[in-house]
């Protein structure tokens, strides 16, 4: 796999665990957007683009996020344990939209994106720094999702 371009959008809020967004281009042919660089307890890691998992209310069939405790449509109390557990023992509330299939690919992608992040961080301290334009970035989707993730 040849990663031909990586763009990093640094975020300013140091109180937030999200440090940057990134996009990457594979073989000059396909762009994967909405990668996130997150400061975790064990250092920086790369989160692949993901979507919220939902299920349907047993009473009204309304669609609810798995973290919802009550149905958004009818108010029925929802079982708190209805999400599965991921391989780190935490509730599985999100599914990756695009992700590496094996560890080698994961290491490659994470290594290159984190290196691009460090480069961008260095560049950002130089005079006359101009951030990449990210006309395709969907802040609203992110804000809503991230608010749930960190709560
Ligand atoms: Zn309902």
């Amino acid at each position: 796999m040849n990663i031909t371009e990586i763009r990093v959008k640094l975020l300013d809020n140091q109180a937030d665990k999200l440090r940057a967004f990134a996009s990457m281009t594979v073989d000059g042919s396909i762009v994967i957007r909405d990668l996130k660089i997150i400061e975790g307890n064990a250092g920086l890691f790369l989160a692949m683009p993901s979507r919220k998992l939902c299920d349907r209310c047993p009473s009204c069939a309304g669609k609810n996020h798995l973290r919802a405790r009550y149905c958004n449509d009818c108010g029925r109390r929802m079982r708190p344990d209805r999400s599965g557990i991921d391989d780190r023992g935490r509730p599985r509330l999100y599914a990756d939209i695009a992700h590496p299939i094996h560890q080698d690919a994961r290491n490659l992608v994470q290594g290159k994106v984190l290196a691009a992040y460090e480069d961008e961080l260095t560049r950002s301290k130089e005079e006359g720094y101009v951030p990449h334009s990210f006309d395709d970035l969907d802040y609203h989707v992110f804000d809503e999702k991230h608010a749930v993730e960190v709560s």
Side-chain angles (χ1 to χ4, degrees), residues 57 60 71 74:
C57 169
C60 75
C71 174
C74 74

Side-chain angles (χ1 to χ4, degrees), residues 63-82:
K63 207 171 171 187
N64 292 280
H65 179 226
L66 289 180
R67 197 189 280 270
R69 296 171 65 191
Y70 298 92
C71 174
N72 285 325
D73 291 334
C74 74
R76 175 191 165 128
R77 192 178 175 87
M78 304 287 281
R79 278 182 38 232
D81 59 348
R82 66 195 196 280

Side-chain angles (χ1 to χ4, degrees), residues 33-92:
R33 293 164 21 182
D34 206 27
L35 303 163
K36 296 177 199 72
I37 295 157
I38 296 170
E39 180 83 50
N41 293 330
L44 292 171
F45 69 93
L46 180 69
M48 298 303 292
S50 61
R51 64 183 171 81
K52 273 184 195 171
L53 293 172
C54 294
D55 67 350
R56 297 218 175 251
C57 169
S59 297
C60 75
K63 207 171 171 187
N64 292 280
H65 179 226
L66 289 180
R67 197 189 280 270
R69 296 171 65 191
Y70 298 92
C71 174
N72 285 325
D73 291 334
C74 74
R76 175 191 165 128
R77 192 178 175 87
M78 304 287 281
R79 278 182 38 232
D81 59 348
R82 66 195 196 280
S83 67
I85 299 291
D86 70 13
D87 51 16
R88 287 191 283 183
R90 301 186 308 188
R92 190 164 178 275

Side-chain angles (χ1 to χ4, degrees), residues 5-21:
E5 186 180 7
I6 296 172
R7 290 189 180 194
V8 175
K9 170 76 176 174
L10 300 173
L11 300 176
D12 292 334
N13 184 1
Q14 289 302 303
D16 196 339
K17 290 181 178 192
L18 179 75
R19 294 287 185 255
F21 287 106

